[in-house]
Amino acid sequence: MEPKILRAPYAAAIIKLLQGPVYADDKNTWRDILGWQSAIQEYFGKIGMQLIITEQDGFARVLQPEAGEDEEQPLPRLMKKQALNYESTLLAVMLREGLEEFDVRSDGTKYFLTQKEIKERIELFYKEQTNKSKLWRDLSKPITVLLNIGILKLNREDTVNKDNNQYEIKRILKAFINNEKLEEIKQKLAHYVHTL
């Protein structure tokens, strides 16, 4: 007979955190993360990871620190790093700035844009194109990239005209691009544009 395994009361929260960021909207998991914060942090600490809770923006995530030079056997990476191309980085920076502006002028917690609004913002950074419909098709690619990595979340889908799709810009973007990183990326993008 198999011995019965005692499951920790915060096991579901740990699994959700391993799947990706957890937002305050997920009320039960959020309550468990806050209530069992010490135990969850201890669990992740044993496997070389950190629990990061950003209450003001309403999300929690797990971070795997870079291996130190003094480590004899660095741990394998659980989470893959994903490099973004120029277009996706440009869009992420624009959305990050938009989120900052939204926070200053609004008391809302969720920031939404339609696909058309996103394309109109990023279109300004492209040289004049004679084929506007091709440009707009191309501008869908960075939106898809940010959707796949969880920075954008499809909130409302329009099956007739995709430009009417509405996306929520997830607050995890602030963790990926903090203010210091934002300035650094903006300088690199400006340098890249000048070298073209």
Side-chain angles (χ1 to χ4, degrees):
M1 184 174 179
E2 293 285 320
K4 187 169 183 180
I5 297 173
L6 291 175
R7 189 171 74 186
Y10 47 85
I14 285 176
I15 291 169
K16 289 251 183 141
L17 284 162
L18 287 169
Q19 292 172 339
V22 173
Y23 293 91
D25 303 19
D26 184 347
K27 294 188 185 329
N28 292 337
T29 307
W30 185 252
R31 185 188 64 239
D32 286 350
I33 289 170
L34 296 179
W36 294 98
Q37 183 174 347
S38 295
I40 293 171
Q41 180 56 60
E42 183 180 338
Y43 171 84
F44 281 120
K46 288 178 182 176
I47 59 171
M49 301 182 80
Q50 295 175 328
L51 171 66
I52 309 290
I53 299 174
T54 310
E55 284 192 64
Q56 79 179 42
D57 288 321
F59 68 86
R61 67 188 181 123
V62 176
L63 185 67
Q64 185 173 7
E66 293 295 326
E69 291 179 16
D70 56 342
E71 286 186 45
E72 283 184 32
Q73 281 191 310
L75 295 170
R77 297 290 308 167
L78 177 65
M79 296 152 186
K80 293 180 183 176
K81 287 188 175 187
Q82 184 171 356
L84 299 178
N85 62 17
Y86 169 78
E87 291 81 9
S88 301
T89 302
L90 177 62
L91 179 56
V93 167
M94 290 176 56
L95 294 175
R96 174 64 172 83
E97 286 182 319
L99 188 57
E100 201 70 34
E101 291 166 11
F102 173 78
D103 286 346
V104 168
R105 71 175 191 274
S106 171
D107 59 355
T109 56
K110 294 188 178 183
Y111 178 44
F112 297 99
L113 290 173
T114 64
Q115 184 161 306
K116 181 180 180 188
E117 291 168 327
I118 293 170
K119 287 179 177 181
E120 285 171 345
R121 287 173 180 227
I122 197 171
E123 177 185 30
L124 301 172
F125 291 87
Y126 286 83
K127 292 182 179 178
E128 284 295 317
Q129 299 252 343
T130 53
N131 189 343
K132 186 159 175 126
S133 62
K134 181 187 180 314
L135 173 64
W136 273 57
R137 274 194 313 276
D138 291 346
L139 293 178
S140 297
K141 292 173 187 169
I143 292 172
T144 303
V145 169
L146 297 189
L147 187 63
N148 290 340
I149 63 172
I151 289 175
L152 291 174
K153 178 184 175 190
L154 183 61
N155 183 60
R156 185 186 67 230
E157 186 171 13
D158 185 330
T159 54
V160 177
N161 183 355
K162 295 233 182 264
D163 283 332
N164 292 329
N165 286 354
Q166 184 184 60
Y167 297 93
E168 178 187 350
I169 291 75
K170 301 300 281 183
R171 295 196 165 273
I172 191 72
L173 181 56
K174 284 185 166 187
F176 291 135
I177 306 176
N178 61 26
N179 289 334
E180 185 180 302
K181 191 76 172 168
L182 180 63
E183 289 307 313
E184 179 188 325
I185 292 172
K186 281 167 59 175
Q187 287 175 5
K188 285 181 181 176
L189 287 172
H191 176 73
Y192 179 82
V193 168
H194 290 303
T195 58
L196 291 179

